[in-house]
Amino acid sequence: MGAFPQTLYFAGLNEPVGQEASLTGLTVEGALPPEVRGSFYRAVPDPAFPPKFANDHTLSGDGMVSRLSFNADGTADFAICFVETARYLAEKDAGHARFGKYRNPFTDDADVQGVDRTVANTTPVWHAGRLLMAKEDGRPYRVDPVTLETLGSHDFGGALKSETMTAHVRIDPVTKELFFYGYEADGLASTKVAYCVVGPDGALKSEQWFDAPYCAMMHDFTVSENYALFPIYPTTADLERLKAGGEHWHHEPDLDSWLGVMPRYGDVSEIRWFKGPKGVHSYHMMNAWEDEAGLLHFDACLNSTNAFAFIREPSGIFLQPWDVQGALTRWTVDPKAESGEVKETVIGPPGDFPVIPAARQGRPYTHGWMLTMNPELQGPPLLGGPVGAMFNLLLRLDMRGGPPQALALPAMAGFNEPVHVPSVTEGHEGWLVTIVDSQVGDNVFVHEAWVLDAGNIAAGPVAKVTIPHRLRPQVHGWWVPQAELDAASA
Ligand code: V55
Ligand code: FE
């Protein structure tokens, strides 16, 4: 068996861990708010075996599902398990990697051709009492929310036609419907996108297919109260390149970006395409909402190019990470227009991992949180994650233009994406829970969960849990209140 490549994707905080664990009775230091009772699920990519190709990266890692539960007695439990995907089991069986490059099955071993190669490593999605580990290149895997045992690939009881489902779903806070899409819905490098609506009971109510302007990496989308919004940025796939053993994605700076807009319950033939700037890219949207004049606002963490060096460089784009420009950016369109261009406004700083209260999804909102790099940090950032450096400044943004609030970490520490825990107290903004990684020695790390007052992040954590297990950086997380877990297991 080979060793892991000595690249930043497998070194330091990114060093593979690959150990399942279950730890109970962890001490919660400080005052854990009584509202923070439930489970914080996280998706953590962690390759079980050294990759077949040395240029492999974070996005190919086998999905691990992790749970941090805050118990009624004020203690916490931690568990992490591999999602037993068909791919993970096939590699475990052989004792080595059999699947090749990121999203290129032409580079897989001959005897695993046709085996589901998704790694279920991006988002734990909770809906209708089910926990799904999702990744955009395939269908999600369902896992047991208590034992974390893998229950199998989920196709909504045989109803889903799309071969893929995004890791970035949206849930309407009023109807409790789940909105999602799958791109490359009928195969590699296809322009087919499936737009799906799932009822609050978990049944697939509608699936409609449309063509994107080109085959793009459609990582996230969003819904407003009345519309579904599909951004298209020019990180593109090409079947001939894949057949030749190349990379799934190249970024194309000269191609236009687009925003597709359709009525949420409309027919896909009603999609209108609005043109955006050339060459830009965003992984994550903060929200979309309609104003009183009927204009539609789409708020995304937009960058001047793809944020990942392992996508830029094979595309011939060589930039230092600090030369990637970005800003929280609003695109405004008139959804009743036939076509047009987006009107672009910068509304916030560079960064990523935007979070809003689930109750404000698709509605006007007054504040949100995101991660960024602290321009005033004295000392190096913590190396890790797919970009190579961990974000070290948490912001609370006032969407009406007031000053942001910030919580800075010291050198050699980083934030993972927080989850928001709502409060029932009128006027209270709720809580954030986030894992903070700190490097304290040569390959020695401390991992803590911090609980913050979401309206007063600058005060620092109100409670902390140290997790005595080596952790790799997460991608996304999901908060599930204890009452929902209890209802699902009843
Ligand atoms: C992202 C993550 C993925 C992926 C595509 O963070 C994009 C963005 C963890 O997997 O497959
Ligand atoms: Fe994402």
Side-chain angles (χ1 to χ4, degrees):
M1 194 175 95
F4 284 97
Q6 290 307 297
T7 64
L8 66 88
Y9 305 114
F10 300 96
L13 188 66
N14 283 339
E15 188 179 313
V17 179
Q19 261 175 31
E20 300 187 327
S22 177
L23 307 166
T24 55
L26 306 181
T27 309
V28 180
E29 293 166 55
L32 185 69
E35 288 173 326
V36 182
R37 292 293 185 281
S39 291
F40 174 20
Y41 293 96
R42 306 191 310 133
V44 182
D46 198 341
F49 298 100
K52 283 184 67 175
F53 293 87
N55 70 349
D56 199 42
H57 50 70
T58 308
L59 309 190
S60 304
D62 293 297
M64 296 191 85
V65 53
S66 175
R67 189 190 69 222
L68 180 66
S69 356
F70 294 96
N71 305 319
D73 67 359
T75 63
D77 300 339
F78 171 82
I80 186 163
C81 287
F82 278 108
V83 183
E84 296 192 339
T85 61
R87 169 177 171 146
Y88 169 78
L89 294 174
E91 294 195 338
K92 194 174 166 196
D93 215 34
H96 59 80
R98 305 169 80 178
F99 296 82
K101 286 188 171 181
Y102 180 67
R103 300 188 64 177
N104 188 343
F106 299 104
T107 63
D108 295 347
D109 288 359
D111 58 354
V112 294
Q113 291 293 327
V115 176
D116 182 5
R117 72 193 303 289
T118 190
V119 283
N121 70 0
T122 311
T123 310
V125 171
W126 174 259
H127 182 253
R130 292 179 185 137
L131 186 62
L132 304 176
M133 286 290 286
K135 182 176 183 76
E136 65 198 58
D137 68 350
R139 291 175 177 162
Y141 274 75
R142 188 173 169 193
V143 300
D144 184 299
V146 177
T147 63
L148 304 185
E149 183 192 349
T150 301
L151 304 173
S153 177
H154 187 65
D155 61 5
F156 296 86
L160 185 67
K161 302 284 182 296
S162 176
E163 295 172 15
T164 64
M165 171 176 159
T166 177
H168 286 287
V169 305
R170 300 283 164 170
I171 294 176
D172 187 274
V174 176
T175 69
K176 307 292 180 199
E177 291 160 311
L178 170 76
F179 294 84
F180 74 87
Y181 62 96
Y183 72 94
E184 298 187 44
D186 63 348
L188 292 170
S190 153
T191 56
K192 295 290 179 219
V193 181
Y195 169 49
C196 300
V197 186
V198 177
D201 58 355
L204 185 69
K205 293 203 299 194
S206 89
E207 173 173 1
Q208 301 184 68
W209 288 36
F210 66 88
D211 280 293
Y214 48 81
C215 176
M217 175 193 233
M218 293 175 67
H219 184 66
D220 194 0
F221 88 134
T222 191
V223 296
S224 69
E225 199 170 346
N226 294 295
Y227 295 94
L229 298 87
F230 302 94
I232 306 286
Y233 307 108
T235 293
T236 65
D238 175 75
L239 189 58
E240 293 312 313
R241 184 169 72 232
L242 290 170
K243 286 183 178 165
E247 306 307 316
H248 194 103
W249 298 121
H250 275 191
H251 191 71
E252 297 196 65
D254 297 330
L255 272 189
D256 291 322
S257 58
W258 295 93
L259 184 63
V261 176
M262 66 173 276
R264 222 162 82 158
Y265 303 108
D267 187 278
V268 287
S269 64
E270 297 173 68
I271 295 190
R272 297 289 176 265
W273 292 99
F274 297 90
K275 197 190 277 193
K278 290 187 197 303
V280 296
H281 188 264
S282 170
Y283 278 101
H284 301 118
M285 281 86 245
M286 188 168 249
N287 203 2
W289 52 283
E290 298 151 45
D291 68 20
E292 282 165 9
L295 294 179
L296 184 56
H297 305 281
F298 168 85
D299 300 347
C301 295
L302 193 71
N303 287 315
S304 54
T305 182
N306 197 295
F308 295 154
F310 56 78
I311 291 178
R312 290 194 303 270
E313 290 175 4
S315 323
I317 303 168
F318 296 91
L319 285 175
Q320 295 303 330
W322 49 87
D323 290 327
V324 176
Q325 309 295 310
L328 182 64
T329 302
R330 176 165 296 163
W331 283 0
T332 299
V333 300
D334 175 358
K336 303 239 160 35
E338 281 300 306
S339 63
E341 297 198 4
V342 305
K343 179 174 158 277
E344 188 170 274
T345 320
V346 170
I347 58 168
D352 202 1
F353 294 123
V355 173
I356 59 167
R360 301 316 302 164
Q361 173 59 50
R363 312 302 196 272
Y365 63 124
T366 57
H367 53 274
W369 301 268
M370 63 181 282
L371 301 181
T372 189
M373 294 307 274
N374 180 358
E376 284 157 26
L377 179 76
Q378 303 288 315
L382 176 61
L383 302 183
V387 168
M390 299 291 286
F391 288 113
N392 49 27
L393 190 69
L394 171 66
L395 295 174
R396 175 197 176 278
L397 301 178
D398 182 336
M399 307 313 294
R400 292 162 303 189
Q405 261 185 42
L407 177 62
L409 292 178
M412 303 302 280
F415 286 111
N416 291 262
E417 181 184 58
V419 283
H420 179 257
V421 181
S423 170
V424 294
T425 308
E426 185 61 33
H428 193 287
E429 288 178 24
W431 312 94
L432 299 181
V433 187
T434 177
I435 302 289
V436 174
D437 302 307
S438 305
Q439 184 158 6
V440 295
D442 185 17
N443 206 22
V444 184
F445 296 87
V446 171
H447 308 284
E448 295 169 328
W450 287 13
V451 180
L452 301 157
D453 179 338
N456 188 15
I457 59 168
V462 298
K464 278 187 191 182
V465 187
T466 301
I467 298 162
H469 183 81
R470 179 79 175 250
L471 303 182
R472 255 185 146 225
Q474 89 188 41
V475 186
H476 298 291
W478 200 285
W479 172 257
V480 184
Q482 191 60 46
E484 291 188 26
L485 289 168
D486 293 345
S489 61

